[in-house]
Amino acid sequence: MKQSIDFGSRVFKIEIVDKLLTDENGGSKKISGSIDAGKCLIQIEKQSDPQSQIVVLWHEIVHHLLGKVGHDGDDFINPKMEEAIVEGLSDGIVMVLRLNPWIGDIK
């Protein structure tokens, strides 16, 4: 996996980290990935399967793209519904790209 991703307006650093936790309801919850637009940073938890890391990367990319058009956060959609949408889109994108690698050959 590369160490950065270019969104055109900004380049985000990609870090593979040993463990990712998020604060939730006064406790910690293990997560697979996170994106911080303010820091231009995507973090992905180290996992045994590189394919899973790619799906997590796409998950965070979809979150960022939804945020770019104002379709993220509690004002737009219920957070659980947003996660379901992001999960479905990221899995679908990875599946289509895996089955049709020529799609990524944009010159």
Side-chain angles (χ1 to χ4, degrees):
M1 182 178 302
K2 295 196 175 196
Q3 295 180 348
S4 65
I5 183 166
D6 190 339
F7 284 102
S9 59
R10 294 183 286 174
V11 176
F12 281 53
K13 182 178 179 184
I14 300 170
E15 290 182 347
I16 306 298
V17 297
D18 289 330
K19 192 173 187 178
L20 273 176
L21 298 172
T22 186
D23 294 328
E24 190 172 286
N25 300 326
S28 293
K29 179 183 175 189
K30 181 184 168 303
I31 58 174
S32 298
S34 70
I35 186 164
D36 185 330
K39 294 181 180 178
C40 295
L41 177 65
I42 296 174
Q43 291 183 312
I44 300 172
E45 186 173 61
K46 186 184 241 180
Q47 299 173 2
S48 58
D49 184 357
Q51 293 178 80
S52 295
Q53 290 180 354
I54 294 297
V55 173
V56 171
L57 176 61
W58 271 101
H59 181 101
E60 300 309 326
I61 290 169
V62 171
H63 269 301
H64 182 67
L65 295 176
L66 286 174
K68 295 283 286 176
V69 295
H71 292 347
D72 67 339
D74 295 343
D75 294 339
F76 172 68
I77 195 168
N78 175 301
K80 287 184 181 180
M81 182 62 75
E82 179 185 349
E83 274 304 307
I85 291 168
V86 169
E87 195 70 27
L89 285 171
S90 58
D91 282 344
I93 290 167
V94 171
M95 179 178 57
V96 168
L97 290 174
R98 199 178 119 261
L99 294 172
N100 303 281
W102 60 268
I103 292 174
D105 292 338
I106 299 170
K107 304 285 182 204

